[in-house]
Amino acid sequence: FARGAEIPCALGISNEFVVLLDLGAKEVVFNCFCGDVIGWTADAAAVKIFYGRGDHVFVRAAEG
């Protein structure tokens, strides 16, 4: 994650958490409380989610 690797994940959003799940490895690769999200920017098929003290995670929709 710190290297900026791109991996296929499922995005989960609830009242409490934002999570990215690697379904192949059956692991959580990112999670934060919704209250820690400080903003986001959106493009046609991508969202950059800012959390904590300005860190971010980039989420892009799969082709097709």
Side-chain angles (χ1 to χ4, degrees):
F1 183 77
R3 295 183 311 259
E6 185 173 311
I7 57 173
C9 290
L11 173 65
I13 302 173
S14 73
N15 289 337
E16 295 184 47
F17 295 104
V18 176
V19 298
L20 289 173
L21 305 168
D22 181 345
L23 298 178
K26 298 182 180 178
E27 293 181 345
V28 174
V29 293
F30 170 80
N31 71 305
C32 74
F33 289 109
C34 289
D36 291 339
V37 174
I38 57 176
W40 59 86
T41 60
D43 286 336
V47 176
K48 189 184 287 187
I49 302 170
F50 296 90
Y51 63 95
R53 295 184 175 181
D55 296 323
H56 70 276
V57 62
F58 188 76
V59 180
R60 181 170 56 101
E63 298 287 327

Short mmCIF file of all heavy atoms in Angstrom, two decimals:
data_model
loop_
_atom_site.label_atom_id
_atom_site.label_comp_id
_atom_site.label_asym_id
_atom_site.label_seq_id
_atom_site.Cartn_x
_atom_site.Cartn_y
_atom_site.Cartn_z
N PHE A 1 0.82 -1.19 0.00
CA PHE A 1 0.00 0.00 0.00
C PHE A 1 0.86 1.25 0.00
O PHE A 1 0.59 2.18 -0.75
CB PHE A 1 -0.95 -0.02 1.20
CG PHE A 1 -1.88 1.15 1.23
CD1 PHE A 1 -2.97 1.17 0.40
CD2 PHE A 1 -1.65 2.21 2.07
CE1 PHE A 1 -3.83 2.25 0.41
CE2 PHE A 1 -2.50 3.28 2.10
CZ PHE A 1 -3.60 3.30 1.27
N ALA A 2 1.88 1.31 0.80
CA ALA A 2 2.72 2.51 0.88
C ALA A 2 3.47 2.76 -0.43
O ALA A 2 3.84 3.88 -0.72
CB ALA A 2 3.71 2.38 2.03
N ARG A 3 3.66 1.72 -1.24
CA ARG A 3 4.34 1.86 -2.52
C ARG A 3 3.39 2.33 -3.61
O ARG A 3 3.82 2.56 -4.73
CB ARG A 3 4.97 0.53 -2.92
CG ARG A 3 6.06 0.07 -2.00
CD ARG A 3 6.67 -1.22 -2.50
NE ARG A 3 5.68 -2.22 -2.84
CZ ARG A 3 5.35 -3.24 -2.08
NH1 ARG A 3 5.93 -3.39 -0.91
NH2 ARG A 3 4.45 -4.12 -2.46
N GLY A 4 2.13 2.45 -3.31
CA GLY A 4 1.17 2.88 -4.31
C GLY A 4 0.78 1.79 -5.28
O GLY A 4 0.43 2.07 -6.40
N ALA A 5 0.84 0.54 -4.85
CA ALA A 5 0.49 -0.57 -5.73
C ALA A 5 -1.01 -0.55 -6.03
O ALA A 5 -1.82 -0.18 -5.20
CB ALA A 5 0.86 -1.89 -5.07
N GLU A 6 -1.34 -0.97 -7.23
CA GLU A 6 -2.74 -1.05 -7.63
C GLU A 6 -3.18 -2.50 -7.54
O GLU A 6 -2.57 -3.38 -8.16
CB GLU A 6 -2.90 -0.54 -9.06
CG GLU A 6 -4.33 -0.48 -9.51
CD GLU A 6 -4.46 0.18 -10.87
OE1 GLU A 6 -3.89 1.25 -11.08
OE2 GLU A 6 -5.15 -0.41 -11.72
N ILE A 7 -4.21 -2.76 -6.73
CA ILE A 7 -4.72 -4.11 -6.58
C ILE A 7 -6.24 -4.07 -6.70
O ILE A 7 -6.88 -3.09 -6.31
CB ILE A 7 -4.31 -4.75 -5.24
CG1 ILE A 7 -4.77 -3.89 -4.06
CG2 ILE A 7 -2.82 -4.97 -5.16
CD1 ILE A 7 -4.55 -4.54 -2.73
N PRO A 8 -6.84 -5.13 -7.25
CA PRO A 8 -8.31 -5.16 -7.34
C PRO A 8 -8.91 -5.37 -5.96
O PRO A 8 -8.48 -6.24 -5.21
CB PRO A 8 -8.59 -6.35 -8.26
CG PRO A 8 -7.36 -7.19 -8.22
CD PRO A 8 -6.22 -6.28 -7.89
N CYS A 9 -9.87 -4.54 -5.62
CA CYS A 9 -10.50 -4.60 -4.29
C CYS A 9 -11.99 -4.34 -4.41
O CYS A 9 -12.47 -3.83 -5.42
CB CYS A 9 -9.91 -3.52 -3.38
SG CYS A 9 -8.24 -3.78 -2.88
N ALA A 10 -12.69 -4.66 -3.35
CA ALA A 10 -14.09 -4.30 -3.20
C ALA A 10 -14.15 -3.16 -2.19
O ALA A 10 -13.47 -3.18 -1.17
CB ALA A 10 -14.90 -5.48 -2.70
N LEU A 11 -14.95 -2.15 -2.50
CA LEU A 11 -15.14 -1.00 -1.61
C LEU A 11 -16.36 -1.23 -0.76
O LEU A 11 -17.44 -1.58 -1.26
CB LEU A 11 -15.31 0.27 -2.44
CG LEU A 11 -15.68 1.55 -1.69
CD1 LEU A 11 -14.56 1.97 -0.74
CD2 LEU A 11 -16.01 2.66 -2.68
N GLY A 12 -16.20 -1.07 0.55
CA GLY A 12 -17.32 -1.19 1.48
C GLY A 12 -17.47 0.08 2.28
O GLY A 12 -16.48 0.62 2.78
N ILE A 13 -18.70 0.58 2.38
CA ILE A 13 -18.98 1.79 3.15
C ILE A 13 -20.18 1.51 4.04
O ILE A 13 -21.22 1.05 3.56
CB ILE A 13 -19.28 2.99 2.23
CG1 ILE A 13 -18.10 3.24 1.29
CG2 ILE A 13 -19.59 4.23 3.06
CD1 ILE A 13 -18.37 4.29 0.23
N SER A 14 -20.02 1.78 5.34
CA SER A 14 -21.12 1.64 6.29
C SER A 14 -21.27 2.94 7.06
O SER A 14 -20.61 3.93 6.75
CB SER A 14 -20.84 0.47 7.25
OG SER A 14 -19.83 0.83 8.18
N ASN A 15 -22.11 2.94 8.07
CA ASN A 15 -22.26 4.12 8.91
C ASN A 15 -21.00 4.42 9.70
O ASN A 15 -20.79 5.56 10.12
CB ASN A 15 -23.42 3.94 9.89
CG ASN A 15 -24.76 3.98 9.20
OD1 ASN A 15 -24.89 4.52 8.12
ND2 ASN A 15 -25.75 3.38 9.83
N GLU A 16 -20.15 3.42 9.91
CA GLU A 16 -18.97 3.58 10.75
C GLU A 16 -17.65 3.53 10.00
O GLU A 16 -16.70 4.19 10.40
CB GLU A 16 -18.96 2.51 11.84
CG GLU A 16 -20.09 2.63 12.83
CD GLU A 16 -19.98 1.62 13.93
OE1 GLU A 16 -18.88 1.47 14.48
OE2 GLU A 16 -20.99 0.96 14.22
N PHE A 17 -17.54 2.71 8.94
CA PHE A 17 -16.26 2.45 8.31
C PHE A 17 -16.28 2.63 6.79
O PHE A 17 -17.31 2.43 6.15
CB PHE A 17 -15.82 1.00 8.57
CG PHE A 17 -15.54 0.69 10.01
CD1 PHE A 17 -16.45 -0.03 10.76
CD2 PHE A 17 -14.36 1.10 10.60
CE1 PHE A 17 -16.20 -0.32 12.08
CE2 PHE A 17 -14.10 0.82 11.93
CZ PHE A 17 -15.02 0.10 12.67
N VAL A 18 -15.10 2.94 6.27
CA VAL A 18 -14.80 2.85 4.84
C VAL A 18 -13.70 1.79 4.75
O VAL A 18 -12.68 1.90 5.43
CB VAL A 18 -14.29 4.19 4.27
CG1 VAL A 18 -13.88 4.04 2.82
CG2 VAL A 18 -15.34 5.27 4.42
N VAL A 19 -13.91 0.75 3.95
CA VAL A 19 -12.93 -0.33 3.85
C VAL A 19 -12.69 -0.70 2.39
O VAL A 19 -13.56 -0.55 1.54
CB VAL A 19 -13.37 -1.60 4.62
CG1 VAL A 19 -13.50 -1.33 6.09
CG2 VAL A 19 -14.64 -2.18 4.08
N LEU A 20 -11.47 -1.17 2.12
CA LEU A 20 -11.12 -1.79 0.85
C LEU A 20 -10.73 -3.23 1.17
O LEU A 20 -9.85 -3.46 2.01
CB LEU A 20 -9.97 -1.06 0.17
CG LEU A 20 -10.31 0.31 -0.38
CD1 LEU A 20 -9.03 1.01 -0.87
CD2 LEU A 20 -11.32 0.21 -1.50
N LEU A 21 -11.36 -4.17 0.48
CA LEU A 21 -11.14 -5.59 0.74
C LEU A 21 -10.51 -6.25 -0.47
O LEU A 21 -11.03 -6.14 -1.58
CB LEU A 21 -12.47 -6.29 1.04
CG LEU A 21 -13.30 -5.70 2.17
CD1 LEU A 21 -14.69 -6.30 2.15
CD2 LEU A 21 -12.63 -5.93 3.49
N ASP A 22 -9.39 -6.94 -0.25
CA ASP A 22 -8.78 -7.77 -1.28
C ASP A 22 -9.47 -9.12 -1.19
O ASP A 22 -9.21 -9.91 -0.29
CB ASP A 22 -7.28 -7.89 -1.03
CG ASP A 22 -6.57 -8.72 -2.09
OD1 ASP A 22 -7.24 -9.44 -2.85
OD2 ASP A 22 -5.33 -8.66 -2.14
N LEU A 23 -10.40 -9.37 -2.11
CA LEU A 23 -11.20 -10.60 -2.04
C LEU A 23 -10.38 -11.84 -2.34
O LEU A 23 -10.68 -12.92 -1.82
CB LEU A 23 -12.39 -10.50 -2.99
CG LEU A 23 -13.37 -9.36 -2.68
CD1 LEU A 23 -14.48 -9.32 -3.71
CD2 LEU A 23 -13.94 -9.49 -1.28
N GLY A 24 -9.34 -11.71 -3.17
CA GLY A 24 -8.49 -12.86 -3.47
C GLY A 24 -7.71 -13.32 -2.25
O GLY A 24 -7.63 -14.51 -1.95
N ALA A 25 -7.13 -12.38 -1.52
CA ALA A 25 -6.35 -12.71 -0.33
C ALA A 25 -7.21 -12.77 0.92
O ALA A 25 -6.74 -13.17 1.99
CB ALA A 25 -5.23 -11.69 -0.14
N LYS A 26 -8.48 -12.33 0.82
CA LYS A 26 -9.39 -12.28 1.96
C LYS A 26 -8.81 -11.45 3.09
O LYS A 26 -8.77 -11.86 4.25
CB LYS A 26 -9.77 -13.68 2.43
CG LYS A 26 -10.49 -14.47 1.37
CD LYS A 26 -10.89 -15.82 1.86
CE LYS A 26 -11.61 -16.56 0.75
NZ LYS A 26 -12.00 -17.89 1.11
N GLU A 27 -8.33 -10.23 2.72
CA GLU A 27 -7.73 -9.32 3.69
C GLU A 27 -8.28 -7.92 3.52
O GLU A 27 -8.63 -7.51 2.42
CB GLU A 27 -6.21 -9.25 3.50
CG GLU A 27 -5.48 -10.52 3.82
CD GLU A 27 -3.98 -10.36 3.63
OE1 GLU A 27 -3.54 -9.38 3.00
OE2 GLU A 27 -3.25 -11.23 4.13
N VAL A 28 -8.32 -7.19 4.61
CA VAL A 28 -8.63 -5.76 4.57
C VAL A 28 -7.33 -5.03 4.24
O VAL A 28 -6.33 -5.20 4.93
CB VAL A 28 -9.18 -5.27 5.93
CG1 VAL A 28 -9.38 -3.77 5.93
CG2 VAL A 28 -10.49 -5.98 6.26
N VAL A 29 -7.32 -4.26 3.16
CA VAL A 29 -6.11 -3.54 2.77
C VAL A 29 -6.16 -2.07 3.17
O VAL A 29 -5.14 -1.39 3.20
CB VAL A 29 -5.81 -3.68 1.27
CG1 VAL A 29 -5.46 -5.11 0.91
CG2 VAL A 29 -6.95 -3.19 0.41
N PHE A 30 -7.35 -1.57 3.50
CA PHE A 30 -7.50 -0.20 3.97
C PHE A 30 -8.78 -0.12 4.79
O PHE A 30 -9.79 -0.74 4.44
CB PHE A 30 -7.60 0.79 2.81
CG PHE A 30 -7.99 2.17 3.24
CD1 PHE A 30 -7.04 3.03 3.76
CD2 PHE A 30 -9.30 2.61 3.13
CE1 PHE A 30 -7.40 4.30 4.19
CE2 PHE A 30 -9.66 3.88 3.54
CZ PHE A 30 -8.71 4.73 4.08
N ASN A 31 -8.73 0.62 5.89
CA ASN A 31 -9.94 0.93 6.63
C ASN A 31 -9.75 2.21 7.42
O ASN A 31 -8.64 2.55 7.82
CB ASN A 31 -10.34 -0.22 7.57
CG ASN A 31 -9.40 -0.37 8.74
OD1 ASN A 31 -8.20 -0.51 8.55
ND2 ASN A 31 -9.94 -0.33 9.93
N CYS A 32 -10.82 2.95 7.57
CA CYS A 32 -10.83 4.13 8.44
C CYS A 32 -12.26 4.38 8.88
O CYS A 32 -13.21 3.91 8.25
CB CYS A 32 -10.22 5.35 7.75
SG CYS A 32 -11.25 6.12 6.50
N PHE A 33 -12.42 5.09 9.98
CA PHE A 33 -13.74 5.50 10.43
C PHE A 33 -14.28 6.56 9.48
O PHE A 33 -13.53 7.39 8.97
CB PHE A 33 -13.67 6.08 11.85
CG PHE A 33 -13.39 5.06 12.90
CD1 PHE A 33 -12.16 5.03 13.54
CD2 PHE A 33 -14.35 4.14 13.27
CE1 PHE A 33 -11.91 4.10 14.52
CE2 PHE A 33 -14.11 3.20 14.25
CZ PHE A 33 -12.88 3.18 14.87
N CYS A 34 -15.57 6.55 9.26
CA CYS A 34 -16.19 7.57 8.40
C CYS A 34 -15.92 8.97 8.95
O CYS A 34 -15.76 9.92 8.18
CB CYS A 34 -17.69 7.33 8.28
SG CYS A 34 -18.11 5.89 7.30
N GLY A 35 -15.86 9.09 10.26
CA GLY A 35 -15.57 10.39 10.88
C GLY A 35 -14.17 10.89 10.58
O GLY A 35 -13.89 12.08 10.73
N ASP A 36 -13.26 10.01 10.16
CA ASP A 36 -11.90 10.40 9.80
C ASP A 36 -11.79 10.90 8.37
O ASP A 36 -10.76 11.45 7.99
CB ASP A 36 -10.93 9.24 10.01
CG ASP A 36 -10.73 8.89 11.47
OD1 ASP A 36 -11.00 9.76 12.33
OD2 ASP A 36 -10.31 7.76 11.76
N VAL A 37 -12.83 10.68 7.55
CA VAL A 37 -12.82 11.16 6.17
C VAL A 37 -13.01 12.67 6.19
O VAL A 37 -13.97 13.19 6.75
CB VAL A 37 -13.93 10.48 5.33
CG1 VAL A 37 -14.00 11.08 3.94
CG2 VAL A 37 -13.69 8.98 5.25
N ILE A 38 -12.04 13.39 5.59
CA ILE A 38 -12.11 14.85 5.60
C ILE A 38 -12.54 15.43 4.26
O ILE A 38 -12.78 16.63 4.14
CB ILE A 38 -10.76 15.46 6.04
CG1 ILE A 38 -9.61 15.00 5.16
CG2 ILE A 38 -10.49 15.13 7.49
CD1 ILE A 38 -8.27 15.64 5.49
N GLY A 39 -12.67 14.58 3.25
CA GLY A 39 -13.14 15.04 1.95
C GLY A 39 -12.81 14.06 0.86
O GLY A 39 -12.19 13.02 1.11
N TRP A 40 -13.25 14.38 -0.35
CA TRP A 40 -12.96 13.54 -1.51
C TRP A 40 -13.08 14.36 -2.77
O TRP A 40 -13.71 15.42 -2.79
CB TRP A 40 -13.90 12.33 -1.56
CG TRP A 40 -15.35 12.70 -1.64
CD1 TRP A 40 -16.08 12.97 -2.75
CD2 TRP A 40 -16.24 12.86 -0.54
NE1 TRP A 40 -17.37 13.28 -2.42
CE2 TRP A 40 -17.50 13.23 -1.06
CE3 TRP A 40 -16.11 12.73 0.84
CZ2 TRP A 40 -18.60 13.47 -0.25
CZ3 TRP A 40 -17.21 12.97 1.63
CH2 TRP A 40 -18.43 13.33 1.09
N THR A 41 -12.45 13.88 -3.81
CA THR A 41 -12.59 14.44 -5.14
C THR A 41 -12.98 13.30 -6.07
O THR A 41 -12.57 12.17 -5.87
CB THR A 41 -11.28 15.08 -5.66
OG1 THR A 41 -10.26 14.09 -5.70
CG2 THR A 41 -10.83 16.23 -4.77
N ALA A 42 -13.80 13.61 -7.05
CA ALA A 42 -14.29 12.58 -7.95
C ALA A 42 -14.04 12.94 -9.40
O ALA A 42 -14.15 14.11 -9.78
CB ALA A 42 -15.78 12.37 -7.71
N ASP A 43 -13.67 11.95 -10.19
CA ASP A 43 -13.57 12.05 -11.64
C ASP A 43 -14.65 11.15 -12.23
O ASP A 43 -15.50 10.66 -11.51
CB ASP A 43 -12.19 11.59 -12.13
CG ASP A 43 -11.09 12.60 -11.83
OD1 ASP A 43 -11.42 13.79 -11.68
OD2 ASP A 43 -9.93 12.19 -11.76
N ALA A 44 -14.56 10.88 -13.51
CA ALA A 44 -15.55 10.04 -14.18
C ALA A 44 -15.64 8.65 -13.57
O ALA A 44 -16.72 8.14 -13.31
CB ALA A 44 -15.23 9.95 -15.66
N ALA A 45 -14.50 8.00 -13.32
CA ALA A 45 -14.52 6.62 -12.81
C ALA A 45 -13.58 6.45 -11.63
O ALA A 45 -13.13 5.34 -11.36
CB ALA A 45 -14.14 5.66 -13.93
N ALA A 46 -13.26 7.53 -10.91
CA ALA A 46 -12.30 7.44 -9.80
C ALA A 46 -12.68 8.40 -8.68
O ALA A 46 -13.30 9.43 -8.92
CB ALA A 46 -10.90 7.74 -10.30
N VAL A 47 -12.27 8.02 -7.47
CA VAL A 47 -12.48 8.86 -6.29
C VAL A 47 -11.20 8.87 -5.48
O VAL A 47 -10.61 7.81 -5.25
CB VAL A 47 -13.65 8.34 -5.42
CG1 VAL A 47 -13.78 9.15 -4.15
CG2 VAL A 47 -14.95 8.33 -6.19
N LYS A 48 -10.75 10.03 -5.07
CA LYS A 48 -9.63 10.15 -4.14
C LYS A 48 -10.23 10.53 -2.79
O LYS A 48 -10.88 11.57 -2.67
CB LYS A 48 -8.65 11.22 -4.61
CG LYS A 48 -7.35 11.24 -3.81
CD LYS A 48 -6.43 12.38 -4.24
CE LYS A 48 -5.81 12.10 -5.59
NZ LYS A 48 -4.78 13.12 -5.93
N ILE A 49 -10.06 9.66 -1.79
CA ILE A 49 -10.64 9.86 -0.47
C ILE A 49 -9.53 10.34 0.47
O ILE A 49 -8.53 9.65 0.66
CB ILE A 49 -11.24 8.55 0.07
CG1 ILE A 49 -12.32 8.02 -0.89
CG2 ILE A 49 -11.83 8.75 1.47
CD1 ILE A 49 -12.79 6.62 -0.58
N PHE A 50 -9.73 11.52 1.05
CA PHE A 50 -8.78 12.10 2.00
C PHE A 50 -9.25 11.78 3.42
O PHE A 50 -10.43 11.89 3.74
CB PHE A 50 -8.70 13.61 1.82
CG PHE A 50 -8.14 14.01 0.48
CD1 PHE A 50 -8.98 14.22 -0.60
CD2 PHE A 50 -6.78 14.17 0.31
CE1 PHE A 50 -8.47 14.59 -1.83
CE2 PHE A 50 -6.26 14.53 -0.92
CZ PHE A 50 -7.11 14.73 -1.99
N TYR A 51 -8.32 11.38 4.27
CA TYR A 51 -8.66 10.98 5.64
C TYR A 51 -7.54 11.38 6.59
O TYR A 51 -6.43 11.70 6.17
CB TYR A 51 -8.92 9.47 5.72
CG TYR A 51 -7.71 8.63 5.38
CD1 TYR A 51 -6.88 8.16 6.38
CD2 TYR A 51 -7.37 8.34 4.06
CE1 TYR A 51 -5.76 7.40 6.08
CE2 TYR A 51 -6.27 7.59 3.75
CZ TYR A 51 -5.46 7.13 4.77
OH TYR A 51 -4.34 6.40 4.46
N GLY A 52 -7.87 11.35 7.87
CA GLY A 52 -6.86 11.64 8.90
C GLY A 52 -6.30 13.04 8.77
O GLY A 52 -7.03 14.01 8.81
N ARG A 53 -4.99 13.13 8.58
CA ARG A 53 -4.31 14.42 8.49
C ARG A 53 -3.96 14.78 7.05
O ARG A 53 -2.95 15.43 6.79
CB ARG A 53 -3.05 14.41 9.33
CG ARG A 53 -3.35 14.26 10.79
CD ARG A 53 -2.11 14.34 11.61
NE ARG A 53 -2.44 14.30 13.02
CZ ARG A 53 -1.57 14.37 13.97
NH1 ARG A 53 -0.29 14.45 13.69
NH2 ARG A 53 -1.95 14.33 15.22
N GLY A 54 -4.75 14.32 6.11
CA GLY A 54 -4.53 14.65 4.72
C GLY A 54 -4.01 13.51 3.88
O GLY A 54 -3.72 13.68 2.70
N ASP A 55 -3.86 12.32 4.48
CA ASP A 55 -3.50 11.13 3.69
C ASP A 55 -4.66 10.84 2.74
O ASP A 55 -5.78 11.32 2.93
CB ASP A 55 -3.26 9.94 4.60
CG ASP A 55 -2.07 10.13 5.52
OD1 ASP A 55 -1.08 10.73 5.06
OD2 ASP A 55 -2.15 9.69 6.67
N HIS A 56 -4.39 10.06 1.71
CA HIS A 56 -5.46 9.73 0.78
C HIS A 56 -5.28 8.34 0.20
O HIS A 56 -4.20 7.78 0.20
CB HIS A 56 -5.56 10.77 -0.34
CG HIS A 56 -4.43 10.73 -1.31
ND1 HIS A 56 -3.24 11.38 -1.07
CD2 HIS A 56 -4.29 10.11 -2.51
CE1 HIS A 56 -2.42 11.16 -2.09
NE2 HIS A 56 -3.03 10.40 -2.98
N VAL A 57 -6.40 7.83 -0.29
CA VAL A 57 -6.43 6.57 -1.01
C VAL A 57 -7.19 6.84 -2.31
O VAL A 57 -8.17 7.58 -2.32
CB VAL A 57 -7.07 5.44 -0.17
CG1 VAL A 57 -8.50 5.73 0.17
CG2 VAL A 57 -6.93 4.10 -0.86
N PHE A 58 -6.69 6.29 -3.40
CA PHE A 58 -7.25 6.50 -4.73
C PHE A 58 -8.02 5.24 -5.14
O PHE A 58 -7.45 4.15 -5.16
CB PHE A 58 -6.12 6.79 -5.72
CG PHE A 58 -6.58 7.21 -7.08
CD1 PHE A 58 -7.05 8.48 -7.30
CD2 PHE A 58 -6.52 6.32 -8.14
CE1 PHE A 58 -7.46 8.87 -8.56
CE2 PHE A 58 -6.93 6.69 -9.41
CZ PHE A 58 -7.41 7.98 -9.61
N VAL A 59 -9.29 5.40 -5.46
CA VAL A 59 -10.14 4.28 -5.82
C VAL A 59 -10.63 4.50 -7.25
O VAL A 59 -11.19 5.55 -7.55
CB VAL A 59 -11.35 4.17 -4.85
CG1 VAL A 59 -12.24 3.01 -5.23
CG2 VAL A 59 -10.88 4.05 -3.42
N ARG A 60 -10.42 3.49 -8.08
CA ARG A 60 -10.82 3.60 -9.49
C ARG A 60 -11.72 2.42 -9.83
O ARG A 60 -11.44 1.28 -9.44
CB ARG A 60 -9.57 3.56 -10.37
CG ARG A 60 -9.83 3.69 -11.85
CD ARG A 60 -8.52 3.89 -12.59
NE ARG A 60 -7.57 2.82 -12.34
CZ ARG A 60 -7.34 1.81 -13.17
NH1 ARG A 60 -7.99 1.73 -14.30
NH2 ARG A 60 -6.45 0.91 -12.87
N ALA A 61 -12.81 2.69 -10.56
CA ALA A 61 -13.72 1.63 -10.97
C ALA A 61 -13.06 0.74 -12.01
O ALA A 61 -12.30 1.20 -12.85
CB ALA A 61 -15.00 2.23 -11.53
N ALA A 62 -13.37 -0.54 -11.95
CA ALA A 62 -12.82 -1.51 -12.90
C ALA A 62 -13.41 -1.27 -14.29
O ALA A 62 -14.53 -0.75 -14.42
CB ALA A 62 -13.13 -2.92 -12.44
N GLU A 63 -12.67 -1.65 -15.30
CA GLU A 63 -13.16 -1.55 -16.67
C GLU A 63 -14.37 -2.44 -16.85
O GLU A 63 -14.43 -3.53 -16.31
CB GLU A 63 -12.05 -1.97 -17.65
CG GLU A 63 -10.82 -1.10 -17.61
CD GLU A 63 -11.05 0.26 -18.24
OE1 GLU A 63 -11.84 0.36 -19.19
OE2 GLU A 63 -10.45 1.23 -17.75
N GLY A 64 -15.32 -1.96 -17.66
CA GLY A 64 -16.49 -2.78 -17.96
C GLY A 64 -17.53 -2.63 -16.92
O GLY A 64 -18.55 -3.12 -16.83
#
